[in-house]
Amino acid sequence: MKDLIIEAGQNLRTIQIDYTEKDGSNEGWREVEPYSFREKNGVEYFYGYDIEKDGIRGFIIDSINDIEITENSYEPRWSVEF
């Protein structure tokens, strides 16, 4: 999973992720601009800009069910840290 996120970020391509929220809900595929990884309280997060929600979001790596790199490019809003 991380390798695909890094590849997309380095090539400035968005990704589609299938993600399960902490409460167990799943909103389906979400298009995200990849930016960075961070660890918080021993949990690894991926940070990206959720296009539909119009904001930066933190996603727990282990809660990402699937990832696809899209053909959509993006202009970085912040530094891409990969």
Side-chain angles (χ1 to χ4, degrees):
M1 297 269 183
K2 286 179 67 173
D3 290 343
L4 289 175
I5 294 169
I6 292 168
E7 178 184 339
Q10 290 175 338
N11 293 301
L12 299 178
R13 297 281 181 201
T14 64
I15 56 175
Q16 290 278 348
I17 64 170
D18 178 47
Y19 183 76
T20 300
E21 299 286 347
K22 288 180 185 177
D23 67 3
S25 66
N26 183 312
E27 298 175 19
W29 290 96
R30 298 159 76 164
E31 188 172 7
V32 178
E33 299 170 359
Y35 285 97
S36 67
F37 295 113
R38 294 281 187 277
E39 190 172 308
K40 188 168 138 184
N41 300 323
V43 178
E44 191 168 27
Y45 286 80
F46 152 62
Y47 284 88
Y49 185 85
D50 187 318
I51 294 170
E52 187 175 317
K53 293 188 182 230
D54 196 27
I56 194 82
R57 297 289 187 269
F59 302 96
I60 298 171
I61 296 287
D62 289 341
S63 295
I64 298 173
N65 305 310
D66 202 2
I67 293 178
E68 293 179 5
I69 298 175
T70 74
E71 294 297 318
N72 302 330
S73 60
Y74 66 98
E75 259 322 300
R77 301 162 197 268
W78 307 279
S79 296
V80 176
E81 298 181 7
F82 307 119

